[in-house]
Amino acid sequence: MQLTPEDLLIGASITFDVVISPSVLHPGNNQLPINEPQPDLVVQLRPLTIGTFQLIMKAARNDTALIPLLMIKESLVQPAMSLEQVKQLHLGLVIFLIQHIREISGLTEKKIQLVV
């Protein structure tokens, strides 16, 4: 079966629900009730396209620390956040989100180094 351009492009429009555990969202918070069921804490991500990734690399040419922040800003569908808001996320959450963005975007071969 031959693929059409639409078949190849469909993956870029899919969104993924990613559950964030309370321990990732609030690291070091030992006051969360262990036995009580916690509601799913979900964000919605979309894969990065090559066009978006090229823009990120160009924008971060002089400051590579912007790469993970721009990746999160561009991938995060719900809740949408500004770059200034993304800059305020704690490092553990940034690493968690980047791992998922890399996975859904097919960036599993070469690691992009987080520069903090």
Coordinates of all heavy atoms in Angstrom, one line a residue, residues 12 68 75 77-78 84 108:
A12 N 1.6 14.4 12.9 CA 2.0 15.7 13.5 C 0.8 16.4 14.1 O 0.9 17.3 15.0 CB 2.5 16.6 12.4
P68 N 15.2 23.2 25.5 CA 14.1 22.5 26.2 C 12.9 23.3 26.5 O 11.8 22.8 26.5 CB 14.8 21.9 27.4 CG 16.0 22.7 27.6 CD 16.4 23.2 26.3
S75 N 5.2 22.3 22.3 CA 4.5 21.0 22.4 C 3.3 20.9 23.3 O 2.4 20.2 23.1 CB 5.5 19.9 22.8 OG 4.9 18.6 22.9
V77 N 0.0 21.5 24.6 CA -1.3 22.0 24.0 C -2.2 22.5 25.2 O -2.8 23.5 25.1 CB -2.0 20.9 23.2 CG1 -3.4 21.3 22.8 CG2 -1.1 20.4 22.1
Q78 N -2.3 21.6 26.2 CA -3.2 21.9 27.3 C -2.5 21.6 28.6 O -2.1 20.4 28.8 CB -4.4 21.1 27.2 CG -5.6 21.5 28.1 CD -6.0 22.9 27.8 OE1 -5.4 23.9 28.3 NE2 -7.1 23.1 27.1
E84 N 7.7 32.6 29.4 CA 8.0 33.0 30.8 C 7.4 32.1 31.8 O 8.1 31.8 32.8 CB 7.4 34.5 31.0 CG 8.2 35.5 30.2 CD 9.7 35.5 30.5 OE1 10.1 35.4 31.7 OE2 10.5 35.5 29.5
T108 N 14.4 9.7 19.5 CA 14.9 8.7 20.5 C 16.4 8.3 20.2 O 17.0 7.7 21.1 CB 14.0 7.4 20.5 OG1 14.0 6.9 19.1 CG2 12.7 7.7 21.0

